[in-house]
Amino acid sequence: MSSRGVVWLGSPSFPDAARVALKDDQLRANLKRATGTIRDKRLTVAAELDDWEELRTAAEAIKNRTARHLDHYLVQLEESVTAAGGTVHWASDAAEANRIVTELVQATGEREVVKVKSMATQEIGLNEALAEAGITAYETDLAELIVQLGDDRPSHILVPAIHKNRTEIRDLFRAEMGHWGQPAPEDLTDEPRELAEAARRHLRQKFLTAKVAVSGANFACADTGTVLVVESEGNGRMCLTLPETLITVMGIEKVLPTWSDLEVFLQLLPRSSTGERMNPYTSTWSGTTEGDGPSEFHLVLLDNGRTDTLADPVGRQTLGCIRCSACLNVCPVFERTGGHAYGSVYPGPIGAVLTPQLVGVEQAASLPFASTLCGACYDACPVKINIPEVLAHLRAKVVEAKDGHTVEGLAMKAAGKVLDSPRLLGAAQKAAALGGRALARNGKIGRLPGPLHGWTDTRDTPAPPAESFRTWWRKNRESE
C-alpha cells in the first residue's frame, strides 16, 4: 500500500496489467456475464421512475452544496453524534485511521472483529494493520469472504469477487473455510443456494461470538448524527446490532446535510448498484441506546487525500461518488480488463479519477488514460459526475508533471502550433494526404510501425481523399 493506502504499491501500470488480463478468457467471460446482467437490471428499474433525471439532478445539487460547506457539515455531524452518545475521531491519513481503530479494539481486550463490507477500510489497509497487532478481522459480506479466503484482492466496488465463477468459489470454500472456522461440507456443489448456505453456517459462529464490529458507511446525516449502511445479505445488520462495540470508518465526503436528503439517495443507490428498487437491508443508527445494540459507538472520519481533492475545482466532483459502481458496469475498458488491472481498491472509471487524486497523479499516472472517453460512465452516474471531464483534466496534470516531456505532450505541442497557423495546417494536410495514399492498400491503411502501431494494430484507417475539404471549398464555393 502507498502511504495513503488506496493503491497497491508494486502493482504493474495499467497498460501492463491490462495486457495480462486481456489474455484471460475465463476472466473476460465472467465479467461480461456479470456486468451485462447488472447493467440490464439497472436500465429496467431506472426506467420505471418518471423523475429519474430530476433525482440525478437533485443528488448532484446536494453533493455540490455539501462539498462547498463540508467543514460546516462535518462539525455539525460530530456534534450530533456526540450528543447521541457516540465518539468521533478524526484521521488525516490511513496510518492515523489504522492506529485509532487498532487502539479502540485493543481497549476492549478482544482479538477478533467482524466486518461489514467497507471500501474505506480496504482503502486504508485496515485488515493488514489489525493483523500486525495480533487482531483477526473476519469479512462477513459473501463476496468479501470469498476474497479473504482466497488471499485475493477485490476487483469490483460492489461485487468484489466478480472475477470468480461458481466452480472457483466452490473449490475455494472446500479448501480454505476450515482454516478460518467452520469448514464447508465435503459434498459442497457449485449451486448458488448451497454456496450461500455454506457461507451462512460458516459466518453465524462469528456473528454470535464477536464483541467488536467494524463497518463503513454509505451516508451520515449532519443534522441527526444518523449513520447508514445499505446491504443485501443481512450480514451488516448482524454486525451492527449484536457486538458490544461498533467502530465505523467513513470518508469525510459521505456526510449529507439532513436526514431528508436520504430520500433522494435511497432511490438512486439501489437502482444504480444492483438494479433493485430498494435494498433488502437498510440499517440506520444514531449514537447508542441503552439495552439496544452496541453500548459503544465510535465514528472515525477519514480524510486521506480528500481535502486535497476538494481543493481542485474540476476534480472535486469525484467526491460526490456514492460507490454504486454503475460506471464500472457500463465501461468497455473495465469489462475487458477487470478490476485488478487498476492496481487500486477503486477500479473502473471512478477509480481512474479518484485514485490519482487521493494519492497524487505521480503514484497512479497511467489510470487517467485507462478510458476510451466514450462517456457511458457520465450517462450512468446517478449523481452526474462528469468522469470524462475529470479524466481529461488529470491527463493534463500527468503531462504537466512531466514538464510536457511525453509523447502525448510533444504531440499536443506540435498540434497546437499547426492548428494555430492556416499555412502550416494546409501543408500538414497535403503531407498527410500524400503519405496516407502512399501507405494505403485497397483504400485502407493497415498496420504501421513505431509509435503509430498502437492506433493501427487492431483497426484499419480509410486512405485520405485526394484533396481536403478546404481545397474543395476554394475550388467550388469560395467565388459564390
Side-chain angles (χ1 to χ4, degrees):
M1 284 284 181
S2 71
S3 59
R4 279 181 174 173
V6 186
V7 296
W8 296 302
L9 292 182
S11 296
S13 66
F14 181 83
D16 293 336
R19 286 190 194 96
V20 176
L22 288 170
K23 296 176 183 175
D24 189 336
D25 294 337
Q26 183 65 62
L27 171 68
R28 295 177 65 179
N30 294 349
L31 289 168
K32 184 177 182 180
R33 186 182 309 111
T35 57
T37 300
I38 300 173
R39 188 166 59 233
D40 292 343
K41 289 176 64 180
R42 183 186 69 84
L43 290 172
T44 299
V45 297
E48 293 174 352
L49 296 181
D50 294 335
D51 60 348
W52 180 252
E53 288 305 315
E54 287 78 4
L55 283 170
R56 292 180 69 207
T57 301
E60 179 189 27
I62 293 170
K63 283 292 187 177
N64 287 343
R65 175 161 57 92
T66 306
R68 287 197 300 272
H69 307 288
L70 187 60
D71 54 344
H72 166 75
Y73 291 124
L74 287 172
V75 171
Q76 186 182 12
L77 175 65
E78 180 183 31
E79 293 171 349
S80 299
V81 170
T82 304
T87 304
V88 175
H89 309 261
W90 298 79
S92 60
D93 56 23
E96 188 171 13
N98 286 330
R99 178 185 58 76
I100 291 170
V101 176
T102 301
E103 291 178 355
L104 289 172
V105 178
Q106 288 173 331
T108 67
E110 297 295 321
R111 312 303 293 177
E112 295 182 349
V113 302
V114 288
K115 284 187 65 197
V116 188
K117 181 180 183 304
S118 160
M119 297 302 298
T121 60
Q122 290 176 14
E123 174 187 323
I124 61 177
L126 178 62
N127 287 11
E128 293 80 2
L130 289 174
E132 289 180 5
I135 300 167
T136 304
Y138 293 98
E139 297 288 351
T140 63
D141 174 87
L142 176 56
E144 291 290 357
L145 173 66
I146 294 167
V147 170
Q148 185 174 48
L149 291 177
D151 193 21
D152 202 352
R153 293 172 176 174
S155 62
H156 189 281
I157 290 175
L158 188 72
V159 195
I162 197 172
H163 54 288
K164 289 191 178 297
N165 60 29
R166 293 185 301 175
T167 303
E168 292 171 318
I169 295 169
R170 179 205 59 192
D171 295 342
L172 182 64
F173 278 12
R174 285 178 175 174
E176 298 296 333
M177 265 189 172
H179 300 304
W180 290 78
Q182 180 165 328
E186 293 183 359
D187 59 348
L188 181 67
T189 72
D190 62 358
E191 287 298 314
R193 183 184 182 89
E194 289 197 28
L195 295 173
E197 179 65 13
R200 191 182 71 83
R201 292 183 178 279
H202 175 79
L203 292 171
R204 181 160 294 273
Q205 177 190 11
K206 306 299 181 188
F207 290 135
L208 296 177
T209 58
K211 303 295 184 185
V212 182
V214 176
S215 83
N218 291 97
F219 307 102
C221 305
D223 59 343
T224 62
T226 305
V227 183
L228 183 142
V229 166
V230 297
E231 40 109 8
S232 301
E233 301 167 13
N235 64 300
R237 181 68 58 82
M238 303 283 270
C239 292
L240 297 169
T241 55
L242 294 179
E244 296 171 357
T245 299
L246 173 60
I247 304 168
T248 298
V249 182
M250 186 191 91
I252 56 176
E253 81 281 14
K254 296 294 184 70
V255 65
L256 294 177
T258 68
W259 167 269
S260 61
D261 292 327
L262 291 172
E263 186 264 343
V264 173
F265 292 99
L266 291 183
Q267 293 186 72
L268 290 170
L269 179 56
R271 285 178 167 83
S272 300
S273 57
T274 56
E276 297 172 299
R277 295 179 182 87
M278 66 179 295
N279 290 87
Y281 295 90
T282 300
S283 300
T284 67
W285 67 99
S286 304
T288 58
T289 302
E290 187 174 354
D292 184 12
S295 56
E296 278 191 47
F297 170 55
H298 298 271
L299 177 62
V300 181
L301 296 175
L302 176 69
D303 186 323
N304 207 35
R306 288 162 174 79
T307 300
D308 293 341
T309 304
L310 185 65
D312 187 326
V314 177
R316 70 175 54 148
Q317 59 185 303
T318 311
L319 296 177
C321 176
I322 58 174
R323 309 289 190 267
C324 69
S325 71
C327 61
L328 278 67
N329 299 327
V330 299
C331 178
V333 176
F334 177 84
E335 186 176 301
R336 286 155 181 80
T337 64
H340 290 162
Y342 293 79
S344 164
V345 297
Y346 299 111
I350 191 62
V353 294
L354 181 59
T355 302
Q357 294 189 90
L358 293 182
V359 301
V361 293
E362 68 282 358
Q363 294 276 11
S366 65
L367 289 185
F369 299 90
S371 169
T372 63
L373 298 181
C374 68
C377 49
Y378 185 22
D379 293 337
C381 179
V383 292
K384 292 188 175 181
I385 298 172
N386 191 338
I387 293 177
E389 179 186 39
V390 183
L391 284 168
H393 174 65
L394 294 176
R395 289 181 183 187
K397 281 194 168 187
V398 172
V399 173
E400 289 168 1
K402 296 178 181 178
D403 200 22
H405 296 148
T406 63
V407 174
E408 294 86 356
L410 294 173
M412 289 300 107
K413 283 183 179 178
K417 288 186 178 298
V418 171
L419 294 172
D420 196 41
S421 166
R423 182 179 61 80
L424 288 176
L425 178 60
Q429 287 176 325
K430 286 182 180 177
L434 288 172
R437 289 199 298 279
L439 293 170
R441 298 291 182 273
N442 299 321
K444 294 180 180 178
I445 301 174
R447 181 177 295 180
L448 296 176
L452 295 176
H453 79 92
W455 286 94
T456 56
D457 280 354
T458 57
R459 61 172 74 86
D460 292 330
T461 303
E467 61 181 3
S468 68
F469 176 77
R470 285 154 55 92
T471 305
W472 178 88
W473 182 268
R474 288 196 185 101
K475 284 183 179 177
N476 297 280
R477 298 294 176 85
E478 204 164 57
S479 59
E480 293 181 2

